[in-house]
Amino acid sequence: MKALRRLLDGLYIGAGALAALCLVAILTLIVAQMVARWTGNVFPGAASYAGYAMAGASFLAFANALNRGSHIRVSILLNALSTGGKRLLDIWCFAVAAAVAWYFTYYAYWFVYWSWKFNEVSQDQDATALWMPQSVMVIGGGILAIALTDNLLHLIFKGDHRVTRDLVDQSFGE
C-alpha cells in the first residue's frame, strides 16, 4: 500500500508540476508573440497555443489543488454537524464529486476520440489537430477523478480525507 500511496502522491505532484510548466509556456508564448510584433514578424497561432496551455494548466492542477485544500469548500454546514454527520456528508460529497469527475472523463475521452477520428483542426492559422490539446483535458480530468476516488476511499476506510490546508498560505489571500 505504501508503494501505491507514493505512486498516487507522485502522480498528483507530477500533474501539478506539468501545470506549472504550462504556465511557463504561456509566459514564453506571450513574450515570443510580443517580440515577433516588435520585429515586424507574425507568430501564427500563438494565442491558440497559449489558450491550450491555459486549459492544460487548469486541468492538470485540479488534483494537486484538491489535495492541498485550494479548492473552495463551503464548510458552514460541516461545522454545524456532529463528527458522524460530518463524515457522512464528506463521504456523500466525495462520492458525488468522484462520480461527476469519472462521468466527465468518460465523455471527454469520447470527445477527443471523435475529434481524432474526424481529424478536426483549429480554425486559427496554425490548424492544430484538436485531439492533442483536448487530450490534456482528459488526462487532467482522469487524475482529478483518481484523486477524488482516492480521498473517498481514504475517508471510508481510514475515517478522514487527505485534503490538507496550509493556513499560512491561505492567510495571504487576495
Side-chain angles (χ1 to χ4, degrees), residues 25-50 124-126:
I26 293 168
L27 172 67
T28 305
L29 286 164
I30 290 171
V31 169
Q33 189 177 26
M34 289 169 37
V35 169
R37 283 184 186 166
W38 293 336
T39 59
N41 295 316
V42 177
F43 184 176
S48 294
Y49 295 137
D124 209 356
Q125 293 174 336
D126 61 330

Side-chain angles (χ1 to χ4, degrees), residues 6 14 30 32 67 69 98 100 105 113 119 129 145 171 173:
R6 281 195 310 269
I30 290 171
N67 287 332
V100 168
T105 303
Y113 172 77
N119 197 25
S171 68

Side-chain angles (χ1 to χ4, degrees), residues 3-67:
L4 179 60
R5 174 85 277 132
R6 281 195 310 269
L7 176 75
L8 289 174
D9 288 342
L11 178 67
Y12 307 145
I13 291 170
L18 287 174
L21 287 176
C22 286
L23 292 176
V24 172
I26 293 168
L27 172 67
T28 305
L29 286 164
I30 290 171
V31 169
Q33 189 177 26
M34 289 169 37
V35 169
R37 283 184 186 166
W38 293 336
T39 59
N41 295 316
V42 177
F43 184 176
S48 294
Y49 295 137
Y52 302 149
M54 178 61 78
S58 299
F59 278 92
L60 290 170
F62 283 154
N64 193 26
L66 171 73
N67 287 332

Side-chain angles (χ1 to χ4, degrees), residues 1 15 24 47-48 67 88 98 114 121 135:
M1 284 307 268
V24 172
S48 294
N67 287 332
L88 287 175
W114 288 110
V121 294
S135 295

Side-chain angles (χ1 to χ4, degrees), residues 6 15 28 40 59 67 72 76 84-85 94 104 134 138 144 160:
R6 281 195 310 269
T28 305
F59 278 92
N67 287 332
I72 295 172
I76 294 172
F94 275 113
F104 169 82
Q134 291 170 350
V138 175
L144 175 63
D160 63 336

Side-chain angles (χ1 to χ4, degrees), residues 131-148:
W131 69 267
M132 291 187 282
Q134 291 170 350
S135 295
V136 179
M137 175 180 66
V138 175
I139 293 167
I143 295 171
L144 175 63
I146 291 169
L148 288 164

